[in-house]
Amino acid sequence: EAGVVQSPRYKIIEKKQPVAFWCNPISGHNTLYWYLQNLGQGPELLIRYENEEAVDDSQLPKDRFSAERLKGVDSTLKIQPAELGDSAVYLCASTPLRASYEQYFGPGTRLTVT
Amino acid sequence: DQQVKQNSPSLSVQEGRISILNCDYTNSMFDYFLWYKKYPAEGPTFLISISSIKDKNEDGRFTVFLNKSAKHLSLHIVPSQPGDSAVYFCAASAPSYQLTFGKGTKLSVIP
């Protein structure tokens, strides 16, 4: 069974530029999460999707961050414009059921903003 | 305010000995706890979990203990192996199934 796929794995951009991250969850997983992980910290939830609906986006900085999951499968997280403080690893995770504690993580995208 | 705390950033253990990783939490609503393991350049992978109605869960070399009165849980790895060297994250969930993670403990198992 293929795991959660994320691309790109690494991205370097200048500040004020836009950037987008893509996630393909495990087949059949209806719940999808985007996390932010700063250096030396644990993952912090940005947004959670149930199918195509964003059911928890309270931690997403909506002035510059946006996300979508149009067909309830793949998801894209966008930052526009990027700031130096956005340098971090962006993780995507999925679970098969809404009521499931165990989350399966992708390898993450490491973003560096210069 | 950190609701899940892992106060030891790092831990070194000799191969074959026991590794004990600790985690404290403050939110009484947490009812499920998990440990994740993370290698460099990879995402976290689920290791073991425990429900708040239990005080111990064992899976091979890994055992998690939960002390609800102290709001403390620990992960025991016996015997420790070099391949266990990784960052270990403690995570807790309230009934919403949203996970709150600690900062992680880097375990180094010395051959």
Side-chain angles (χ1 to χ4, degrees), chain B residues 4 9 18 24 32 40-41 43 57 60-61 75 87 110:
Chain B
V4 178
I18 184 171
D24 297 295
Y32 202 82
N57 187 27
R61 297 185 297 113
L75 173 67
V87 177
I110 304 165

Side-chain angles (χ1 to χ4, degrees), chain B residues 13-45:
Chain B
V13 173
Q14 286 291 131
E15 181 179 2
R17 306 295 291 269
I18 184 171
S19 294
I20 300 176
L21 295 91
N22 294 303
C23 178
D24 297 295
Y25 63 96
T26 57
N27 189 340
S28 300
M29 296 299 292
F30 288 146
D31 63 352
Y32 202 82
F33 304 89
L34 306 91
W35 285 94
Y36 279 81
K37 177 179 180 179
K38 185 182 183 303
Y39 292 117
E42 295 183 12
T45 56

Side-chain angles (χ1 to χ4, degrees), chain A residues 9 37 41-42 56 101 103 106, chain B residues 36 41 43 89 93 98 102-103:
Chain A
R9 293 294 312 276
Q37 185 177 16
Q41 305 290 319
D56 184 358
Y101 294 104
Q103 298 180 17
Chain B
Y36 279 81
F89 290 99
S93 178
Q98 178 174 322
K103 291 185 176 182

Side-chain angles (χ1 to χ4, degrees), chain B residues 78-105:
Chain B
V78 182
S80 301
Q81 300 174 354
D84 297 329
S85 296
V87 177
Y88 290 78
F89 290 99
C90 171
S93 178
S96 64
Y97 299 97
Q98 178 174 322
L99 296 183
T100 301
F101 287 83
K103 291 185 176 182
T105 297

